């Protein structure tokens, strides 16, 4: 069975104990709003221990930083996203975007409290940003995000 590369990333994050939530286009898909997305976006808890676990997971995925800035707390705390391209066989060419802040949204701890879990297999669940927070995070200047909000609300 060929595993979905995004699930492979999610399960790898879980394996290393990375405290993260699936956000962006993939979270829209989980909520029933179809979106073509070539990457996987995550918001993470930004502390030294979680960053250490994340770096181990990214190493297993053979993820390389593809844009500036590098994965450092000082940049994440300023609201910058860190972007990676995976080179491990099962996730080859998948892009991973890591953030710790979402414009217009609460901090990670509050988002974590409002998360929901989706059972993927009998022994695996993924943690996804809550619907209201997802809608708020999609309130951008991009036309496609407003169309996605409409779809998310219709599906709710």
């Amino acid at each position: 069975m060929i595993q979905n590369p995004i699930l492979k990333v999610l399960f790898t994050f879980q394996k290393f104990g990375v405290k993260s939530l699936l956000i962006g286009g993939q979270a829209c898909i989980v909520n029933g709003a179809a979106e073509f997305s070539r990457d996987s976006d995550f918001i993470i808890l930004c502390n030294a221990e979680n960053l250490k676990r994340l770096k181990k997971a990214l190493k297993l995925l053979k993820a390389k930083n593809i844009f500036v800035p590098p994965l450092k707390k000082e940049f994440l705390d300023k609201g910058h996203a860190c972007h990676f391209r995976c080179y491990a066989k099962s996730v080859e060419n998948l892009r991973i975007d890591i953030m710790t802040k979402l414009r217009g949204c609460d901090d990670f701890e509050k988002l974590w409290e409002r998360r929901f879990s989706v059972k993927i297999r009998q022994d695996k669940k993924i943690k996804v940003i809550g619907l209201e927070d997802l809608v708020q995070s999609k309130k951008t200047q991009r036309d496609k995000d407003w169309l996605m909000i409409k779809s998310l609300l219709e599906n709710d």
Side-chain angles (χ1 to χ4, degrees):
M1 179 173 126
I2 298 173
Q3 184 173 0
N4 176 310
I6 293 162
L7 290 179
K8 174 70 174 174
V9 170
L10 285 158
F11 295 158
T12 301
F13 281 15
Q14 286 179 9
K15 176 181 177 179
F16 286 94
V18 178
K19 194 168 183 180
S20 65
L21 296 171
L22 182 66
I23 61 172
Q26 297 301 326
C28 290
I29 293 168
V30 170
N31 280 284
E35 179 172 286
F36 181 73
S37 182
R38 294 179 185 210
D39 66 358
S40 52
D41 302 312
F42 297 91
I43 186 166
I44 65 160
L45 175 64
C46 191
N47 66 26
E49 186 58 37
N50 203 47
L51 286 171
K52 185 177 172 182
R53 291 189 291 257
L54 175 63
K55 287 176 182 178
K56 288 180 182 179
L58 291 170
K59 184 176 181 180
L60 184 68
L61 297 166
K62 297 182 181 176
K64 305 291 181 200
N65 194 223
I66 55 172
F67 300 117
V68 292
L71 183 64
K72 291 187 177 178
K73 186 176 183 340
E74 64 189 90
F75 298 114
L76 292 166
D77 281 343
K78 290 180 182 177
H80 296 291
C82 296
H83 309 275
F84 296 86
R85 173 93 48 218
C86 295
Y87 294 97
K89 187 175 180 182
S90 59
V91 291
E92 196 168 18
N93 291 318
L94 180 69
R95 196 171 109 187
I96 298 173
D97 296 338
I98 302 292
M99 290 154 255
T100 61
K101 296 180 180 187
L102 297 173
R103 185 178 298 127
C105 293
D106 287 327
D107 65 17
F108 180 85
E109 289 299 335
K110 288 190 174 103
L111 297 176
W112 183 259
E113 289 172 11
R114 295 189 297 260
R115 75 191 182 278
F116 71 96
S117 296
V118 177
K119 192 172 189 177
I120 300 298
R121 298 189 326 217
Q122 189 170 354
D123 62 334
K124 296 283 185 184
K125 291 182 181 179
I126 60 171
K127 293 173 180 61
V128 182
I129 190 171
L131 180 60
E132 288 184 28
D133 294 317
L134 177 59
V135 167
Q136 181 62 41
S137 74
K138 286 291 189 183
K139 292 180 179 176
T140 68
Q141 296 177 359
R142 302 183 313 175
D143 289 340
K144 74 175 197 165
D145 284 337
W146 289 96
L147 293 171
M148 188 53 53
I149 289 171
K150 181 179 184 284
S151 184
L152 285 166
L153 294 174
E154 287 171 353
N155 288 327
D156 186 43

